[in-house]
Amino acid sequence: MKVHVLGGGPGGLYFSLLLKKARPDAEVTVFERNAANSTFGWGVVFSAATLGHFGEADAESYRAIQEDFAYWDAIDTHFWKGGHRVIRSGGHGFCGIGRMRLLLLLQERARSLGVKTVFGTEIDDLEALRGECDLLVAADGINSKTRGRYADTLKPTVREGDARFIWLGTHQPFEAFTFSFRENDHGLFQIHAYQFDQQTSTCIVECDEDSWRAAGLHEADEATTLRYCADLFRDELGGRPLLANRSAWIRFREVKCERWHHENVVLIGDAAHTAHFGIGSGTKLAMEDAIELAGVLADAEDVSLALGHYEDARRDMAGRIQRSAQQAQQWFEESKRHLKHPPERVTFSLLSRTRRITHENLRERDPAYIEAVDRWYMEEQGLPKDGPITPPLFTPFTLKGLRLSNRIVVSPMCQYSAIDGVPNDWHLVHLGSRAVGGAGLIFTEMTNVAADARITPGCTGLYNDAQQAAWTRIVDFVHGQSESKIAIQLGHAGRKGSTKLLWEGMDQPLPDGAGWPILGPSPIAYAPNHAPREMNRDDMVRVRDEHVAAARRAAACGFDLLELHMAHGYLLSSFLSPVSNQRADEYGGDAAKRARYPLEVLEAIRQVWTGPLSVRISATDWVPGGFTLDDAVELAGWLKERGADIVDVSSGQVTPDEAPVYGRAFQTPFSERIRNEVGIPTIAVGNIYDHDRINTILVAGRADLVALARAHLADPYLARHAASELGHSVRWPPQYRASGGVLDRMFPAIEPASE
């Protein structure tokens, strides 16, 4: 096998030596346009887990590299506003090495195995190069010529970040990975700094575009930039100068490719995918690509088939790393907003920025740090910080006089089990069991304000006396048998109405004669052959008044909180979205006009509902040209002005064309931005399953309450089980005293009810 490798960076060299080790008969040549002892950048960072991969792949190169590692365990975050303060978190297990030293060690190991290296050679004719070999491995970096040459097949996309950064060095030692935030007359600047050998550290300076320009750095030469940054971070640098190495102010470019190979050409590392330095993953990704590619080629007879296996094996992992890196990038690019919070919250939010690191994970790394965080959170929430720790999710929350015993919320979940809109014993048991299970707040399913407002024939309503009586029975049970509070979610299905039950065909129209006419802001169908009639003003008045009548009935039932449904493509949501609202009158057009009718309904409800009022919104449609997070922030401000007390932040389900980006707690960034920009409490929802994620969201300031749906379907007693796992005492209902102590043995932290 004859293999050419274009690019002599860590990924290209590591692949070459691994392949040569696996196939000594292979003819492997590395082509690098720079000299053997020339590189850019300063140090690279690896985690303990990554090092384990290197040790397994090639023990000899790992041993050589390991001797040059600079190890550190802690992360220090520096704050200077109002006096210098450092918050340290330990147990992180990182190491750094100089990029030049890493390259020299890999070059030496590759040559010892018989890899041929050609430095100082620029390759212009890629077709000729790949024609000379069985395989061309493109490790030619973020500016990959190979990716550009075969773009028609590889289909790359490049997304440029908002912030500016410059990669510098310093002879200042750092005993921990260091983040520091500095504000001056020009704006906010931050450094990411870490030591990678006994004399040298990497120091990345980052700022937003406005700060960069206000400081004149867009016009500054290299020497001026070095002086400005060294003076700004003088204390962190111990007065030492900053050093440059082909350094320039740039924006980060995220590269993705639909395919990573073309015929006998394959991409690895930054040529195929980039990941922001906020999680230090670029070199890691390249070297792990190298491990996988060398592994599939070790005994491959069909190169093309092997390249497919490589791409299948690595794409998912690279995608996850890129998503985490994008979350880290977003955090740093929005640091001005984060820095408005106390240092404790900023630090915790920074550490958990990718949503991979959680409250419990940080406790495992550094129990003392998390104890300090929990005590700070208790004090912030009005609890005495001394004595036993109250886990964040079990701190009480008060909203307009309504006190919730904890922050766990049962999300609205349609059960499709009502008869003529009347909730029955199923709803009593479903909602009642979650209340006995200990959640702080229980939401009903979306309850419709009229018969023709229902999604399906099985949906509940609150538009007649029978429904009101049935809901009152459920409310009385929750209040009488638990400490939970119960909320009703009122809504109108709009263009998503008159459909079959979930298990009969989701979003499928009812057969002719079984359904009812549906309404929408515009005659645009959500489901095929199921277009709504465009609402006129008489329709709007009627539907508004139906919401008001339902709100009056909700008050009579004794509900503790009312939520108005403006999400998920139902009627009010469809007014907000330009995808479904294409009216030419005063209720269509720009965001303010599209919001006019939903806000009119909210204002009308506020006149008759005096208790806490929530609004659920879809913070993005997940489609180009749809409702965006910027729109959601503006809407939340209008909701607050008109009397909403809390915003329940979801997303999507407005159009079947949506393309959501799922992941851990994937909607919490929407909640966080609305909460902290608008200054209104929020409820976070979406792919949240356990107490660990809830605690992480709360302490980081991403929400005030956290709603779980599927997790509560799986475990109605989720709150009580969480208390047990966290060692927090709660009381079981007196009816369960007959357990004869079984509960005490199963859940030792949970106290039985007293006499």
Side-chain angles (χ1 to χ4, degrees), residues 6 9 23 42 75 121 141 234 278 292 298 311 347 405 432 491 502 512 541 575 607 700:
L6 187 59
R23 299 184 67 155
W42 295 92
I75 295 176
T121 299
R234 176 176 299 276
E292 185 65 38
E311 186 170 335
T347 301
S405 62
L502 173 68
D512 290 344
V541 171
F575 267 89
Q607 294 300 310

Side-chain angles (χ1 to χ4, degrees), residues 536-711:
N536 58 37
R537 183 58 194 166
D538 289 342
D539 296 323
M540 293 183 192
V541 171
R542 175 177 63 82
V543 170
R544 179 200 66 198
D545 292 347
E546 288 169 345
H547 278 83
V548 171
R552 292 184 190 275
R553 289 183 180 276
C557 292
F559 282 104
D560 300 296
L561 180 147
L562 184 149
E563 178 167 280
L564 180 59
H565 205 330
M566 291 190 188
H568 299 166
Y570 298 120
L571 183 67
L572 300 183
S573 170
S574 64
F575 267 89
L576 294 169
S577 172
V579 171
S580 47
N581 182 351
Q582 297 179 12
R583 300 175 71 100
D585 62 6
E586 64 269 32
Y587 297 99
D590 63 23
K593 290 181 178 179
R594 296 196 309 273
R596 180 171 292 174
Y597 181 62
L599 293 176
E600 177 185 327
V601 175
L602 174 64
E603 289 176 324
I605 287 177
R606 183 78 278 182
Q607 294 300 310
V608 301
W609 176 265
T610 60
L613 180 57
S614 172
V615 180
R616 174 168 275 211
I617 67 170
S618 285
T620 175
D621 289 349
W622 296 108
V623 292
F627 192 82
T628 68
L629 179 54
D630 288 340
D631 294 329
V633 172
E634 188 173 33
L635 173 64
W638 296 333
L639 298 175
K640 180 181 178 182
E641 290 170 359
R642 287 160 176 79
D645 300 298
I646 192 167
V647 180
D648 190 351
V649 186
S650 186
S651 70
Q653 301 179 52
V654 174
T655 168
D657 298 326
E658 67 179 6
V661 181
Y662 293 112
R664 303 176 183 89
F666 69 106
Q667 294 173 150
T668 56
F670 310 145
S671 169
E672 179 180 20
R673 184 172 166 198
I674 288 170
R675 178 184 188 269
N676 298 316
E677 271 192 37
V678 178
I680 188 170
T682 60
I683 304 173
V685 303
N687 207 16
I688 304 165
Y689 293 104
D690 56 28
H691 61 75
D692 186 17
R693 300 289 172 192
I694 299 173
N695 282 334
T696 305
I697 290 164
L698 294 172
V699 177
R702 295 173 185 137
D704 299 274
L705 299 173
V706 181
L708 299 83
R710 293 178 179 88

Side-chain angles (χ1 to χ4, degrees), residues 374-386 388-392 394-397 403 405 407 728:
D374 285 350
R375 293 193 182 281
W376 165 79
Y377 189 81
M378 289 168 60
E379 186 175 28
E380 185 195 54
Q381 300 305 315
L383 300 178
K385 67 176 182 178
D386 300 326
I389 289 176
T390 299
F394 286 107
T395 56
F397 179 70
R403 186 181 187 275
S405 62
R407 309 297 181 102
H728 179 69

